Structures are given as structure tokens and as C-alpha cells.
Amino acid sequence: MDNQAVADICVQRAEMAGLLTQLMTKQDERRAELEQAAILIESQYEDELANFWLYQYQMLMASKPAKVLQEEEDAIRAACKAAAIEKPEGEDYQGLQSCQRRGIIPPDH
């Protein structure tokens, strides 16, 4: 081999090494982009799953039987009346006001 052929091979090797370096850099960048996309997709999936379950819960709560609604209202009314019997402290006023707004106990308590 003459010197020109060796020089050409060295130039080609240098070019190929440069291209390989670029490809590896692009591969790393693409891997990072794909990881970010996967994280985003997983986050969206978790949000959609949470929304699904919240919607299901909301639908379930909206379809409660009248007996269950009445029992809940009776329990709230009993708790508010029990709270109204005692002398209210500062933090109790909020609960009493809530009961009064719902019409469970009269406002003069």
C-alpha cells in the first residue's frame, strides 16, 4: 500500500468514527425522548384511571337508595343535635353553622 491509500483509509476511518459518534449521540437523545414520552403517557393513564374511578364513585353515590340517604340524614341530624346540646367552642361553630345552613337545627341554637 502506498501512502495515499493509507491516508485515504485514515480519512475514511475518521469520518466513520465521527458518524458513529453522531449516531450514538442521536440514539441517546432519542432514548431520553422516549423515556419522557413514556413517563407522560403513564402520568396521563394514571390521571384517566383516577378520573374513571372518581366518576364511578360519583355515579354510585348518585344512585344511593332512598333508605340509605335517609339513614345518612338521620345520622347527621343526630350528630348536629348532640353538638348543639353542649356549649359550643370556637371550632364547633363551623359545624353548627353547617347544620343550620342545611336546616337541620334552627339558627337560634
Side-chain angles (χ1 to χ4, degrees), residues 41-59:
I41 290 170
E42 185 176 339
S43 173
Q44 289 173 345
Y45 172 75
E46 289 174 357
D47 289 345
E48 289 174 9
L49 186 61
N51 287 338
F52 170 79
W53 286 110
L54 288 172
Y55 178 75
Q56 293 296 321
Y57 179 75
Q58 184 181 24
M59 295 303 294

Side-chain angles (χ1 to χ4, degrees), residues 14 19-20 34 41 43 53 69 73 95 102 104 108:
L19 289 174
L20 182 59
L34 288 173
I41 290 170
S43 173
W53 286 110
L69 292 172
E73 192 65 32
R102 293 184 75 179
I104 297 171
D108 59 338

